[in-house]
Amino acid sequence: MQYTQPATLPQPDDISATHSARVAAYLRERIETAGGSISFAEFMHEALYAPGLGYYSAGTTKFGGAGDFITAPEVSSIFGRVLARQCAEVLGSVKNGAVLEAGAGSGKLALDMLTAFESMDALPSSYNILEVSADLADRQQRHLQDKLPHLAGRIHWLSELPENFDGIIIANEVVDALPVERFIKRNSEVLQLRVAVGDDGFVWTEARAPEKLSGFVTEIEADLGHTLDDGYVSEASLAAPKWVADLARSLRHGAMFLFDYGVSRREYYAPDRTDGWLRCHYRHHAHNNPLIYPGIQDLTAWVDFSSLAASAVKSGLEILGYQTQSQFLLGGGLTIEMAGFSELPIADQLALSGQIKTLTLPGEMGENFKCIALGRGAISVPSAFQFADRTETL
Ligand SMILES: C[S@@+](CC[C@H](N)C(=O)[O-])C[C@H]1O[C@@H](n2cnc3c(N)ncnc32)[C@H](O)[C@@H]1O
């Protein structure tokens, strides 16, 4: 997701404001039932995924110009086409390999990838989507049925991870949407930041951290080789390493490509990063206050890629590589995809150049977004990661 720091946020229209008021009432009730406060992870989970209410579960437009943010597949089909090339390389050495996409958003990446696989004569045995939002799954279904009716029989929506999966697992900007804990260090102790109800809306409150969270922070400090300063605030994603372990358990033979904006653990918990990595997106404005606009703004946190890598290794996966999105695209076949560029009408050339700049330039999505590739069984390292690899920074 891309953002600009807003001077002021746009005001929600009446329909959005009414919806947000309903979500706020639901959250207040949860907080009261819980005795006056809930963890931020619970707040984030409910604000994003409460059935029929949460940001991803209710029916608003989130992706693209009319929504709140734009993701790489929504910027350009080039992203899905290059990713399909990299997947095809792996699928070549996996018998009967399928694709599993987690968190498919509008269905745009699935559309681009299936189209690219078909044009390379490399269609996987099936294309499976695991999506937590019933509303988005419904939109994906309609979109793909409309655009690729002849491939509809190969596309399946799953309600849980399959067992003994052979093939490729992909996820773009899903890890950043997993709920995170927030913590603060006080007098050398780890306190959990929780959400309570104040006079004018939701407010932060602090409590002794549960053992899981304080243990996680102790692990981070051990990795860093120093303790975090008093007053230091950050996030801890307990869900992300668990999610990777779940995916790893499902994968019998093949690879996974996880894309997100993120950094190594050392950068994530750098001494000067004293307020964490939460980002909220509303109508293409980014800001740092997750307690406003419940249910109508996206809540995300940058990803600690070292944590994903450690969980993968612990689960028996091999790290095939880690690199920036720009390196992935440049090493993964962008130039091949651009072969017919000079024959395109000038307006299309301009549009495509703009999309590629957005995907690859350091000030845009090129550097902040990373890709980690993980594998199990006999597969060769995808060519994008032979071009560049930063695994040693994790
Ligand atoms: C930021 S959107 C990204 C959508 C899409 N991948 C893209 O790049 O445009 C996050 C997506 O992940 C889904 N999601 C969140 N948690 C998930 C989980 N645990 N399993 C599967 N999907 C999940 C959301 O419903 C949503 O579709």
Side-chain angles (χ1 to χ4, degrees), residues 1 49 56 63 69 71-74 79 101-106 108-109 130-133 136 140 171-174 176-179 243 298 300:
M1 289 169 207
Y49 304 110
Y56 282 109
F63 310 97
F69 55 84
T71 60
E74 303 282 342
F79 180 81
E101 181 182 358
S106 68
K108 174 73 164 52
L109 182 59
L130 182 67
E131 172 57 68
V132 281
S133 158
L136 285 177
Q140 293 154 12
N172 186 61
E173 290 205 44
V174 178
D176 72 83
L178 299 177
W243 193 65
D298 190 23
T300 73

PDB file of all heavy atoms in Angstrom, residues 1 49 56 63 69 71-74 79 101-106 108-109 130-133 136 140 171-174 176-179 243 298 300, ligand 1:
ATOM      1  N   MET A   1       0.836  -1.184   0.000  1.00  0.00           N
ATOM      2  CA  MET A   1       0.000   0.000   0.000  1.00  0.00           C
ATOM      3  C   MET A   1       0.870   1.232   0.000  1.00  0.00           C
ATOM      4  O   MET A   1       1.904   1.251   0.624  1.00  0.00           O
ATOM      5  CB  MET A   1      -0.820   0.048   1.276  1.00  0.00           C
ATOM      6  CG  MET A   1      -1.881  -0.968   1.312  1.00  0.00           C
ATOM      7  SD  MET A   1      -2.573  -1.038   2.935  1.00  0.00           S
ATOM      8  CE  MET A   1      -3.127  -2.716   2.927  1.00  0.00           C
ATOM      9  N   TYR A  49     -12.325  -7.699  10.807  1.00  0.00           N
ATOM     10  CA  TYR A  49     -12.963  -8.952  10.368  1.00  0.00           C
ATOM     11  C   TYR A  49     -14.269  -9.321  11.069  1.00  0.00           C
ATOM     12  O   TYR A  49     -14.814 -10.399  10.790  1.00  0.00           O
ATOM     13  CB  TYR A  49     -11.964 -10.119  10.527  1.00  0.00           C
ATOM     14  CG  TYR A  49     -10.665  -9.877   9.793  1.00  0.00           C
ATOM     15  CD1 TYR A  49      -9.477  -9.643  10.489  1.00  0.00           C
ATOM     16  CD2 TYR A  49     -10.634  -9.846   8.396  1.00  0.00           C
ATOM     17  CE1 TYR A  49      -8.292  -9.391   9.811  1.00  0.00           C
ATOM     18  CE2 TYR A  49      -9.446  -9.593   7.722  1.00  0.00           C
ATOM     19  CZ  TYR A  49      -8.282  -9.367   8.433  1.00  0.00           C
ATOM     20  OH  TYR A  49      -7.121  -9.117   7.756  1.00  0.00           O
ATOM     21  N   TYR A  56     -12.827  -5.546   6.313  1.00  0.00           N
ATOM     22  CA  TYR A  56     -12.741  -6.510   5.210  1.00  0.00           C
ATOM     23  C   TYR A  56     -14.008  -7.340   5.054  1.00  0.00           C
ATOM     24  O   TYR A  56     -14.164  -8.030   4.047  1.00  0.00           O
ATOM     25  CB  TYR A  56     -11.530  -7.443   5.399  1.00  0.00           C
ATOM     26  CG  TYR A  56     -10.235  -6.772   5.006  1.00  0.00           C
ATOM     27  CD1 TYR A  56      -9.299  -6.394   5.956  1.00  0.00           C
ATOM     28  CD2 TYR A  56      -9.970  -6.465   3.676  1.00  0.00           C
ATOM     29  CE1 TYR A  56      -8.129  -5.749   5.594  1.00  0.00           C
ATOM     30  CE2 TYR A  56      -8.810  -5.816   3.300  1.00  0.00           C
ATOM     31  CZ  TYR A  56      -7.892  -5.471   4.261  1.00  0.00           C
ATOM     32  OH  TYR A  56      -6.754  -4.817   3.887  1.00  0.00           O
ATOM     33  N   PHE A  63     -10.042  -1.512  -2.626  1.00  0.00           N
ATOM     34  CA  PHE A  63      -8.865  -1.499  -3.493  1.00  0.00           C
ATOM     35  C   PHE A  63      -9.038  -0.496  -4.628  1.00  0.00           C
ATOM     36  O   PHE A  63     -10.135  -0.263  -5.091  1.00  0.00           O
ATOM     37  CB  PHE A  63      -8.648  -2.899  -4.092  1.00  0.00           C
ATOM     38  CG  PHE A  63      -8.677  -3.985  -3.049  1.00  0.00           C
ATOM     39  CD1 PHE A  63      -9.833  -4.709  -2.812  1.00  0.00           C
ATOM     40  CD2 PHE A  63      -7.559  -4.259  -2.281  1.00  0.00           C
ATOM     41  CE1 PHE A  63      -9.867  -5.707  -1.848  1.00  0.00           C
ATOM     42  CE2 PHE A  63      -7.586  -5.247  -1.309  1.00  0.00           C
ATOM     43  CZ  PHE A  63      -8.749  -5.972  -1.088  1.00  0.00           C
ATOM     44  N   PHE A  69      -6.737   2.217  -0.687  1.00  0.00           N
ATOM     45  CA  PHE A  69      -5.311   1.982  -0.955  1.00  0.00           C
ATOM     46  C   PHE A  69      -5.181   1.212  -2.260  1.00  0.00           C
ATOM     47  O   PHE A  69      -6.176   0.729  -2.809  1.00  0.00           O
ATOM     48  CB  PHE A  69      -4.661   1.184   0.182  1.00  0.00           C
ATOM     49  CG  PHE A  69      -5.351  -0.114   0.486  1.00  0.00           C
ATOM     50  CD1 PHE A  69      -5.064  -1.263  -0.241  1.00  0.00           C
ATOM     51  CD2 PHE A  69      -6.309  -0.186   1.496  1.00  0.00           C
ATOM     52  CE1 PHE A  69      -5.704  -2.460   0.028  1.00  0.00           C
ATOM     53  CE2 PHE A  69      -6.962  -1.389   1.765  1.00  0.00           C
ATOM     54  CZ  PHE A  69      -6.655  -2.524   1.032  1.00  0.00           C
ATOM     55  N   THR A  71      -2.775  -1.858  -4.157  1.00  0.00           N
ATOM     56  CA  THR A  71      -1.744  -2.891  -3.963  1.00  0.00           C
ATOM     57  C   THR A  71      -1.078  -3.168  -5.316  1.00  0.00           C
ATOM     58  O   THR A  71      -1.593  -2.769  -6.365  1.00  0.00           O
ATOM     59  CB  THR A  71      -2.387  -4.188  -3.432  1.00  0.00           C
ATOM     60  OG1 THR A  71      -3.356  -4.629  -4.393  1.00  0.00           O
ATOM     61  CG2 THR A  71      -3.055  -3.971  -2.085  1.00  0.00           C
ATOM     62  N   ALA A  72       0.047  -3.887  -5.282  1.00  0.00           N
ATOM     63  CA  ALA A  72       0.814  -4.107  -6.514  1.00  0.00           C
ATOM     64  C   ALA A  72      -0.021  -4.724  -7.645  1.00  0.00           C
ATOM     65  O   ALA A  72       0.042  -4.249  -8.783  1.00  0.00           O
ATOM     66  CB  ALA A  72       2.044  -4.958  -6.203  1.00  0.00           C
ATOM     67  N   PRO A  73      -0.821  -5.786  -7.379  1.00  0.00           N
ATOM     68  CA  PRO A  73      -1.604  -6.332  -8.489  1.00  0.00           C
ATOM     69  C   PRO A  73      -2.609  -5.335  -9.052  1.00  0.00           C
ATOM     70  O   PRO A  73      -2.959  -5.392 -10.230  1.00  0.00           O
ATOM     71  CB  PRO A  73      -2.354  -7.525  -7.879  1.00  0.00           C
ATOM     72  CG  PRO A  73      -1.848  -7.697  -6.496  1.00  0.00           C
ATOM     73  CD  PRO A  73      -0.988  -6.547  -6.137  1.00  0.00           C
ATOM     74  N   GLU A  74      -3.064  -4.409  -8.184  1.00  0.00           N
ATOM     75  CA  GLU A  74      -4.027  -3.407  -8.653  1.00  0.00           C
ATOM     76  C   GLU A  74      -3.320  -2.310  -9.453  1.00  0.00           C
ATOM     77  O   GLU A  74      -3.930  -1.666 -10.294  1.00  0.00           O
ATOM     78  CB  GLU A  74      -4.768  -2.759  -7.466  1.00  0.00           C
ATOM     79  CG  GLU A  74      -5.494  -3.740  -6.560  1.00  0.00           C
ATOM     80  CD  GLU A  74      -6.813  -4.243  -7.133  1.00  0.00           C
ATOM     81  OE1 GLU A  74      -7.346  -3.611  -8.059  1.00  0.00           O
ATOM     82  OE2 GLU A  74      -7.287  -5.299  -6.671  1.00  0.00           O
ATOM     83  N   PHE A  79       2.779  -7.213 -12.418  1.00  0.00           N
ATOM     84  CA  PHE A  79       3.145  -7.882 -11.157  1.00  0.00           C
ATOM     85  C   PHE A  79       2.750  -9.365 -11.222  1.00  0.00           C
ATOM     86  O   PHE A  79       3.557 -10.257 -10.974  1.00  0.00           O
ATOM     87  CB  PHE A  79       2.461  -7.170  -9.979  1.00  0.00           C
ATOM     88  CG  PHE A  79       2.768  -7.790  -8.647  1.00  0.00           C
ATOM     89  CD1 PHE A  79       3.958  -7.509  -7.993  1.00  0.00           C
ATOM     90  CD2 PHE A  79       1.871  -8.671  -8.042  1.00  0.00           C
ATOM     91  CE1 PHE A  79       4.254  -8.098  -6.767  1.00  0.00           C
ATOM     92  CE2 PHE A  79       2.160  -9.259  -6.819  1.00  0.00           C
ATOM     93  CZ  PHE A  79       3.349  -8.964  -6.178  1.00  0.00           C
ATOM     94  N   GLU A 101      -3.671 -19.221  -3.349  1.00  0.00           N
ATOM     95  CA  GLU A 101      -3.484 -17.802  -3.012  1.00  0.00           C
ATOM     96  C   GLU A 101      -4.236 -17.499  -1.729  1.00  0.00           C
ATOM     97  O   GLU A 101      -5.433 -17.760  -1.622  1.00  0.00           O
ATOM     98  CB  GLU A 101      -3.993 -16.892  -4.141  1.00  0.00           C
ATOM     99  CG  GLU A 101      -3.770 -15.423  -3.778  1.00  0.00           C
ATOM    100  CD  GLU A 101      -4.268 -14.399  -4.798  1.00  0.00           C
ATOM    101  OE1 GLU A 101      -4.773 -14.799  -5.862  1.00  0.00           O
ATOM    102  OE2 GLU A 101      -4.155 -13.191  -4.483  1.00  0.00           O
ATOM    103  N   ALA A 102      -3.532 -16.946  -0.763  1.00  0.00           N
ATOM    104  CA  ALA A 102      -4.199 -16.531   0.485  1.00  0.00           C
ATOM    105  C   ALA A 102      -4.556 -15.050   0.369  1.00  0.00           C
ATOM    106  O   ALA A 102      -3.758 -14.259  -0.139  1.00  0.00           O
ATOM    107  CB  ALA A 102      -3.267 -16.756   1.670  1.00  0.00           C
ATOM    108  N   GLY A 103      -5.743 -14.691   0.828  1.00  0.00           N
ATOM    109  CA  GLY A 103      -6.148 -13.283   0.861  1.00  0.00           C
ATOM    110  C   GLY A 103      -6.146 -12.639  -0.505  1.00  0.00           C
ATOM    111  O   GLY A 103      -5.309 -11.786  -0.799  1.00  0.00           O
ATOM    112  N   ALA A 104      -7.085 -13.010  -1.365  1.00  0.00           N
ATOM    113  CA  ALA A 104      -7.013 -12.625  -2.780  1.00  0.00           C
ATOM    114  C   ALA A 104      -7.628 -11.265  -3.095  1.00  0.00           C
ATOM    115  O   ALA A 104      -7.703 -10.882  -4.271  1.00  0.00           O
ATOM    116  CB  ALA A 104      -7.653 -13.704  -3.635  1.00  0.00           C
ATOM    117  N   GLY A 105      -8.061 -10.518  -2.099  1.00  0.00           N
ATOM    118  CA  GLY A 105      -8.553  -9.146  -2.331  1.00  0.00           C
ATOM    119  C   GLY A 105      -9.665  -9.101  -3.363  1.00  0.00           C
ATOM    120  O   GLY A 105     -10.684  -9.780  -3.248  1.00  0.00           O
ATOM    121  N   SER A 106      -9.455  -8.300  -4.416  1.00  0.00           N
ATOM    122  CA  SER A 106     -10.481  -8.153  -5.461  1.00  0.00           C
ATOM    123  C   SER A 106     -10.467  -9.320  -6.448  1.00  0.00           C
ATOM    124  O   SER A 106     -11.344  -9.414  -7.307  1.00  0.00           O
ATOM    125  CB  SER A 106     -10.240  -6.860  -6.234  1.00  0.00           C
ATOM    126  OG  SER A 106      -9.041  -6.994  -6.984  1.00  0.00           O
ATOM    127  N   LYS A 108      -7.852  -9.664  -8.505  1.00  0.00           N
ATOM    128  CA  LYS A 108      -7.061  -9.172  -9.652  1.00  0.00           C
ATOM    129  C   LYS A 108      -5.792  -9.998  -9.866  1.00  0.00           C
ATOM    130  O   LYS A 108      -5.437 -10.308 -11.010  1.00  0.00           O
ATOM    131  CB  LYS A 108      -6.721  -7.695  -9.380  1.00  0.00           C
ATOM    132  CG  LYS A 108      -5.797  -7.043 -10.383  1.00  0.00           C
ATOM    133  CD  LYS A 108      -6.499  -6.773 -11.703  1.00  0.00           C
ATOM    134  CE  LYS A 108      -5.780  -5.789 -12.605  1.00  0.00           C
ATOM    135  NZ  LYS A 108      -4.409  -6.065 -12.875  1.00  0.00           N
ATOM    136  N   LEU A 109      -5.100 -10.364  -8.791  1.00  0.00           N
ATOM    137  CA  LEU A 109      -3.868 -11.142  -8.955  1.00  0.00           C
ATOM    138  C   LEU A 109      -4.190 -12.519  -9.546  1.00  0.00           C
ATOM    139  O   LEU A 109      -3.483 -13.002 -10.434  1.00  0.00           O
ATOM    140  CB  LEU A 109      -3.141 -11.278  -7.603  1.00  0.00           C
ATOM    141  CG  LEU A 109      -1.815 -12.033  -7.630  1.00  0.00           C
ATOM    142  CD1 LEU A 109      -0.816 -11.376  -8.570  1.00  0.00           C
ATOM    143  CD2 LEU A 109      -1.211 -12.111  -6.220  1.00  0.00           C
ATOM    144  N   LEU A 130      -7.815 -19.009  -0.516  1.00  0.00           N
ATOM    145  CA  LEU A 130      -8.223 -19.076   0.892  1.00  0.00           C
ATOM    146  C   LEU A 130      -8.449 -17.641   1.342  1.00  0.00           C
ATOM    147  O   LEU A 130      -7.508 -16.846   1.382  1.00  0.00           O
ATOM    148  CB  LEU A 130      -7.099 -19.724   1.717  1.00  0.00           C
ATOM    149  CG  LEU A 130      -7.380 -19.916   3.204  1.00  0.00           C
ATOM    150  CD1 LEU A 130      -8.476 -20.951   3.412  1.00  0.00           C
ATOM    151  CD2 LEU A 130      -6.113 -20.370   3.925  1.00  0.00           C
ATOM    152  N   GLU A 131      -9.688 -17.298   1.624  1.00  0.00           N
ATOM    153  CA  GLU A 131     -10.039 -15.900   1.904  1.00  0.00           C
ATOM    154  C   GLU A 131     -10.881 -15.848   3.175  1.00  0.00           C
ATOM    155  O   GLU A 131     -11.888 -16.549   3.270  1.00  0.00           O
ATOM    156  CB  GLU A 131     -10.811 -15.342   0.694  1.00  0.00           C
ATOM    157  CG  GLU A 131     -11.424 -13.972   0.894  1.00  0.00           C
ATOM    158  CD  GLU A 131     -10.409 -12.922   1.291  1.00  0.00           C
ATOM    159  OE1 GLU A 131      -9.557 -12.581   0.476  1.00  0.00           O
ATOM    160  OE2 GLU A 131     -10.460 -12.453   2.469  1.00  0.00           O
ATOM    161  N   VAL A 132     -10.485 -15.016   4.157  1.00  0.00           N
ATOM    162  CA  VAL A 132     -11.271 -14.967   5.398  1.00  0.00           C
ATOM    163  C   VAL A 132     -12.558 -14.170   5.257  1.00  0.00           C
ATOM    164  O   VAL A 132     -13.495 -14.381   6.024  1.00  0.00           O
ATOM    165  CB  VAL A 132     -10.495 -14.353   6.600  1.00  0.00           C
ATOM    166  CG1 VAL A 132      -9.548 -15.334   7.198  1.00  0.00           C
ATOM    167  CG2 VAL A 132      -9.840 -13.056   6.259  1.00  0.00           C
ATOM    168  N   SER A 133     -12.576 -13.241   4.311  1.00  0.00           N
ATOM    169  CA  SER A 133     -13.758 -12.384   4.190  1.00  0.00           C
ATOM    170  C   SER A 133     -14.766 -12.991   3.223  1.00  0.00           C
ATOM    171  O   SER A 133     -14.483 -13.167   2.032  1.00  0.00           O
ATOM    172  CB  SER A 133     -13.323 -10.988   3.695  1.00  0.00           C
ATOM    173  OG  SER A 133     -14.421 -10.332   3.112  1.00  0.00           O
ATOM    174  N   LEU A 136     -15.468 -10.598   0.344  1.00  0.00           N
ATOM    175  CA  LEU A 136     -14.447 -10.558  -0.703  1.00  0.00           C
ATOM    176  C   LEU A 136     -14.441 -11.854  -1.512  1.00  0.00           C
ATOM    177  O   LEU A 136     -14.274 -11.818  -2.735  1.00  0.00           O
ATOM    178  CB  LEU A 136     -13.065 -10.297  -0.098  1.00  0.00           C
ATOM    179  CG  LEU A 136     -12.817  -8.849   0.347  1.00  0.00           C
ATOM    180  CD1 LEU A 136     -11.445  -8.711   0.999  1.00  0.00           C
ATOM    181  CD2 LEU A 136     -12.923  -7.886  -0.830  1.00  0.00           C
ATOM    182  N   GLN A 140     -14.634 -12.013  -5.463  1.00  0.00           N
ATOM    183  CA  GLN A 140     -13.614 -12.702  -6.274  1.00  0.00           C
ATOM    184  C   GLN A 140     -14.284 -13.690  -7.215  1.00  0.00           C
ATOM    185  O   GLN A 140     -13.976 -13.772  -8.403  1.00  0.00           O
ATOM    186  CB  GLN A 140     -12.630 -13.461  -5.352  1.00  0.00           C
ATOM    187  CG  GLN A 140     -11.763 -12.566  -4.487  1.00  0.00           C
ATOM    188  CD  GLN A 140     -11.300 -13.258  -3.197  1.00  0.00           C
ATOM    189  OE1 GLN A 140     -11.430 -14.457  -3.035  1.00  0.00           O
ATOM    190  NE2 GLN A 140     -10.747 -12.471  -2.282  1.00  0.00           N
ATOM    191  N   ALA A 171       0.955 -14.986  -1.300  1.00  0.00           N
ATOM    192  CA  ALA A 171       0.159 -14.045  -0.499  1.00  0.00           C
ATOM    193  C   ALA A 171       0.771 -12.662  -0.678  1.00  0.00           C
ATOM    194  O   ALA A 171       1.955 -12.469  -0.411  1.00  0.00           O
ATOM    195  CB  ALA A 171       0.176 -14.440   0.975  1.00  0.00           C
ATOM    196  N   ASN A 172      -0.029 -11.738  -1.171  1.00  0.00           N
ATOM    197  CA  ASN A 172       0.426 -10.357  -1.298  1.00  0.00           C
ATOM    198  C   ASN A 172      -0.319  -9.497  -0.286  1.00  0.00           C
ATOM    199  O   ASN A 172      -1.555  -9.456  -0.304  1.00  0.00           O
ATOM    200  CB  ASN A 172       0.172  -9.827  -2.722  1.00  0.00           C
ATOM    201  CG  ASN A 172       0.764  -8.433  -2.910  1.00  0.00           C
ATOM    202  OD1 ASN A 172       1.971  -8.247  -2.777  1.00  0.00           O
ATOM    203  ND2 ASN A 172      -0.078  -7.457  -3.186  1.00  0.00           N
ATOM    204  N   GLU A 173       0.424  -8.859   0.575  1.00  0.00           N
ATOM    205  CA  GLU A 173      -0.156  -7.977   1.598  1.00  0.00           C
ATOM    206  C   GLU A 173      -1.221  -8.676   2.449  1.00  0.00           C
ATOM    207  O   GLU A 173      -2.310  -8.143   2.653  1.00  0.00           O
ATOM    208  CB  GLU A 173      -0.744  -6.716   0.963  1.00  0.00           C
ATOM    209  CG  GLU A 173       0.331  -5.796   0.421  1.00  0.00           C
ATOM    210  CD  GLU A 173      -0.122  -4.347   0.363  1.00  0.00           C
ATOM    211  OE1 GLU A 173      -0.743  -3.893   1.334  1.00  0.00           O
ATOM    212  OE2 GLU A 173       0.153  -3.683  -0.639  1.00  0.00           O
ATOM    213  N   VAL A 174      -0.914  -9.860   2.895  1.00  0.00           N
ATOM    214  CA  VAL A 174      -1.806 -10.549   3.829  1.00  0.00           C
ATOM    215  C   VAL A 174      -1.201 -10.503   5.232  1.00  0.00           C
ATOM    216  O   VAL A 174      -1.905 -10.226   6.217  1.00  0.00           O
ATOM    217  CB  VAL A 174      -2.066 -12.010   3.395  1.00  0.00           C
ATOM    218  CG1 VAL A 174      -2.961 -12.710   4.414  1.00  0.00           C
ATOM    219  CG2 VAL A 174      -2.718 -12.040   2.022  1.00  0.00           C
ATOM    220  N   ASP A 176       0.546  -8.277   6.614  1.00  0.00           N
ATOM    221  CA  ASP A 176       0.369  -6.959   7.252  1.00  0.00           C
ATOM    222  C   ASP A 176      -1.050  -6.762   7.756  1.00  0.00           C
ATOM    223  O   ASP A 176      -1.322  -5.836   8.527  1.00  0.00           O
ATOM    224  CB  ASP A 176       0.743  -5.831   6.275  1.00  0.00           C
ATOM    225  CG  ASP A 176      -0.275  -5.663   5.163  1.00  0.00           C
ATOM    226  OD1 ASP A 176      -1.293  -4.981   5.375  1.00  0.00           O
ATOM    227  OD2 ASP A 176      -0.078  -6.232   4.083  1.00  0.00           O
ATOM    228  N   ALA A 177      -1.971  -7.626   7.305  1.00  0.00           N
ATOM    229  CA  ALA A 177      -3.373  -7.503   7.734  1.00  0.00           C
ATOM    230  C   ALA A 177      -3.691  -8.451   8.893  1.00  0.00           C
ATOM    231  O   ALA A 177      -4.834  -8.521   9.341  1.00  0.00           O
ATOM    232  CB  ALA A 177      -4.296  -7.789   6.544  1.00  0.00           C
ATOM    233  N   LEU A 178      -2.669  -9.185   9.378  1.00  0.00           N
ATOM    234  CA  LEU A 178      -2.903 -10.043  10.552  1.00  0.00           C
ATOM    235  C   LEU A 178      -2.797  -9.174  11.802  1.00  0.00           C
ATOM    236  O   LEU A 178      -1.890  -8.339  11.904  1.00  0.00           O
ATOM    237  CB  LEU A 178      -1.852 -11.167  10.596  1.00  0.00           C
ATOM    238  CG  LEU A 178      -1.821 -12.134   9.402  1.00  0.00           C
ATOM    239  CD1 LEU A 178      -0.676 -13.137   9.549  1.00  0.00           C
ATOM    240  CD2 LEU A 178      -3.144 -12.873   9.251  1.00  0.00           C
ATOM    241  N   PRO A 179      -3.701  -9.371  12.758  1.00  0.00           N
ATOM    242  CA  PRO A 179      -3.700  -8.509  13.948  1.00  0.00           C
ATOM    243  C   PRO A 179      -2.386  -8.579  14.732  1.00  0.00           C
ATOM    244  O   PRO A 179      -1.800  -9.654  14.868  1.00  0.00           O
ATOM    245  CB  PRO A 179      -4.847  -9.077  14.783  1.00  0.00           C
ATOM    246  CG  PRO A 179      -5.728  -9.762  13.810  1.00  0.00           C
ATOM    247  CD  PRO A 179      -4.835 -10.315  12.745  1.00  0.00           C
ATOM    248  N   TRP A 243       1.125 -18.121  11.484  1.00  0.00           N
ATOM    249  CA  TRP A 243       0.508 -18.275  10.162  1.00  0.00           C
ATOM    250  C   TRP A 243       1.486 -18.956   9.203  1.00  0.00           C
ATOM    251  O   TRP A 243       1.111 -19.871   8.459  1.00  0.00           O
ATOM    252  CB  TRP A 243       0.092 -16.898   9.634  1.00  0.00           C
ATOM    253  CG  TRP A 243      -0.823 -16.931   8.453  1.00  0.00           C
ATOM    254  CD1 TRP A 243      -2.096 -17.412   8.413  1.00  0.00           C
ATOM    255  CD2 TRP A 243      -0.519 -16.471   7.137  1.00  0.00           C
ATOM    256  NE1 TRP A 243      -2.609 -17.260   7.142  1.00  0.00           N
ATOM    257  CE2 TRP A 243      -1.672 -16.681   6.346  1.00  0.00           C
ATOM    258  CE3 TRP A 243       0.590 -15.872   6.544  1.00  0.00           C
ATOM    259  CZ2 TRP A 243      -1.740 -16.334   4.996  1.00  0.00           C
ATOM    260  CZ3 TRP A 243       0.525 -15.524   5.205  1.00  0.00           C
ATOM    261  CH2 TRP A 243      -0.615 -15.757   4.440  1.00  0.00           C
ATOM    262  N   ASP A 298      -8.518   0.922   6.830  1.00  0.00           N
ATOM    263  CA  ASP A 298      -7.693  -0.283   6.899  1.00  0.00           C
ATOM    264  C   ASP A 298      -6.641  -0.095   7.989  1.00  0.00           C
ATOM    265  O   ASP A 298      -6.104   1.005   8.159  1.00  0.00           O
ATOM    266  CB  ASP A 298      -7.015  -0.513   5.540  1.00  0.00           C
ATOM    267  CG  ASP A 298      -6.345  -1.875   5.473  1.00  0.00           C
ATOM    268  OD1 ASP A 298      -6.748  -2.773   6.241  1.00  0.00           O
ATOM    269  OD2 ASP A 298      -5.424  -2.039   4.653  1.00  0.00           O
ATOM    270  N   THR A 300      -3.047  -1.732   9.353  1.00  0.00           N
ATOM    271  CA  THR A 300      -1.972  -2.643   8.940  1.00  0.00           C
ATOM    272  C   THR A 300      -0.742  -2.394   9.802  1.00  0.00           C
ATOM    273  O   THR A 300      -0.624  -1.355  10.443  1.00  0.00           O
ATOM    274  CB  THR A 300      -1.547  -2.411   7.473  1.00  0.00           C
ATOM    275  OG1 THR A 300      -0.812  -1.187   7.402  1.00  0.00           O
ATOM    276  CG2 THR A 300      -2.730  -2.323   6.544  1.00  0.00           C
TER     277      THR A 300
HETATM  278  C1  LIG B   1      -4.544  -5.876   2.067  1.00  0.00           C
HETATM  279  S1  LIG B   1      -5.607  -7.061   1.397  1.00  0.00           S
HETATM  280  C2  LIG B   1      -4.615  -7.662   0.039  1.00  0.00           C
HETATM  281  C3  LIG B   1      -5.438  -8.228  -1.064  1.00  0.00           C
HETATM  282  C4  LIG B   1      -4.692  -8.763  -2.296  1.00  0.00           C
HETATM  283  N1  LIG B   1      -3.777  -9.828  -1.939  1.00  0.00           N
HETATM  284  C5  LIG B   1      -3.966  -7.667  -3.037  1.00  0.00           C
HETATM  285  O1  LIG B   1      -2.751  -7.665  -3.058  1.00  0.00           O
HETATM  286  O2  LIG B   1      -4.645  -6.799  -3.607  1.00  0.00           O
HETATM  287  C6  LIG B   1      -5.567  -8.392   2.578  1.00  0.00           C
HETATM  288  C7  LIG B   1      -6.368  -9.600   2.149  1.00  0.00           C
HETATM  289  O3  LIG B   1      -6.058 -10.692   3.026  1.00  0.00           O
HETATM  290  C8  LIG B   1      -7.275 -11.268   3.514  1.00  0.00           C
HETATM  291  N2  LIG B   1      -6.909 -11.957   4.773  1.00  0.00           N
HETATM  292  C9  LIG B   1      -6.582 -11.430   5.959  1.00  0.00           C
HETATM  293  N3  LIG B   1      -6.235 -12.385   6.857  1.00  0.00           N
HETATM  294  C10 LIG B   1      -6.303 -13.556   6.179  1.00  0.00           C
HETATM  295  C11 LIG B   1      -6.053 -14.919   6.530  1.00  0.00           C
HETATM  296  N4  LIG B   1      -5.668 -15.249   7.765  1.00  0.00           N
HETATM  297  N5  LIG B   1      -6.212 -15.873   5.597  1.00  0.00           N
HETATM  298  C12 LIG B   1      -6.620 -15.550   4.352  1.00  0.00           C
HETATM  299  N6  LIG B   1      -6.895 -14.277   3.956  1.00  0.00           N
HETATM  300  C13 LIG B   1      -6.735 -13.304   4.857  1.00  0.00           C
HETATM  301  C14 LIG B   1      -8.216 -10.087   3.570  1.00  0.00           C
HETATM  302  O4  LIG B   1      -9.560 -10.438   3.654  1.00  0.00           O
HETATM  303  C15 LIG B   1      -7.851  -9.434   2.215  1.00  0.00           C
HETATM  304  O5  LIG B   1      -8.427 -10.111   1.128  1.00  0.00           O
END
